[in-house]
Amino acid sequence: MAEFLQLIEPLVNPAEGQAFHVIAPSLPATPLDPLSAPGWAMGRTARAWAELMRRLGYERYGVHGGDIGAGVSGMVAGLDGDHVIGMHVVTDPLTAAAHRHFHPRMAGRLDEDDPVDKLILERMDAFSRDGSGYLAIQNSRPQTIGYGLADSPLLQLAWNRGEGARVD
């Protein structure tokens, strides 16, 4: 959420024009919101956020997210489409699910004999092999990494650096 702090003020207090309400929940298992129980995958988070907006009384709202938040935002839009009037993501909402394990229906529709589909499957496999370690940890053992992220600025820095860029 820190990357949004500079954006929130102009939205809620613009120099001119329309002001907006901004609700910025953190993803579960982050230093700001450690988990007390397992089971907080993207679907549960999306349902919780849709319920939060309902309880706050919003009849219409937009959603925004990046990385895992893009996936959650896409699910919120799908779950609460009667109230979500727009969705903005800064990464592909399927990125979190862009390999065979997390998106078997999409992978099952691809033909390995078709050159384009074959390339897609190869990229899904490469993502599974080289790019989804942090996602696997967050999906399978969120509290394990959550405790370290809550307690260690060094781990927080290393974790965020690891998600955004590969260091060889």
Side-chain angles (χ1 to χ4, degrees), residues 31-161:
L32 299 176
D33 190 11
L35 293 175
S36 60
W40 281 94
M42 286 194 302
R44 184 174 178 187
T45 302
R47 289 188 300 278
W49 288 3
E51 177 65 14
L52 170 67
M53 296 307 285
R54 186 191 69 73
R55 288 184 185 190
L56 290 173
Y58 289 96
E59 303 246 346
R60 299 172 26 153
Y61 62 94
V63 292
H64 166 82
D67 193 45
I68 300 296
V72 173
S73 293
M75 287 184 171
V76 170
L79 289 168
D80 200 22
D82 290 341
H83 299 106
V84 174
I85 60 170
M87 179 178 86
H88 178 261
V89 295
V90 293
T91 55
D92 180 353
L94 297 178
T95 298
H99 55 83
R100 294 180 199 225
H101 174 72
F102 288 104
H103 212 313
R105 286 190 311 192
M106 184 173 92
R109 290 192 303 255
L110 299 174
D111 178 5
E112 293 194 22
D113 294 328
D114 178 273
V116 173
D117 287 1
K118 182 178 180 183
L119 178 63
I120 292 168
L121 289 167
E122 287 171 359
R123 288 183 178 174
M124 291 172 101
D125 290 341
F127 179 77
S128 294
R129 191 177 51 254
D130 300 327
S132 64
Y134 76 96
L135 180 60
I137 292 170
Q138 288 173 323
N139 277 324
S140 63
R141 299 287 187 269
Q143 284 183 278
T144 303
I145 195 69
Y147 289 129
L149 292 173
D151 291 341
S152 171
L154 182 60
L155 181 58
Q156 182 72 242
L157 178 64
W159 186 257
N160 289 332
R161 175 70 179 146

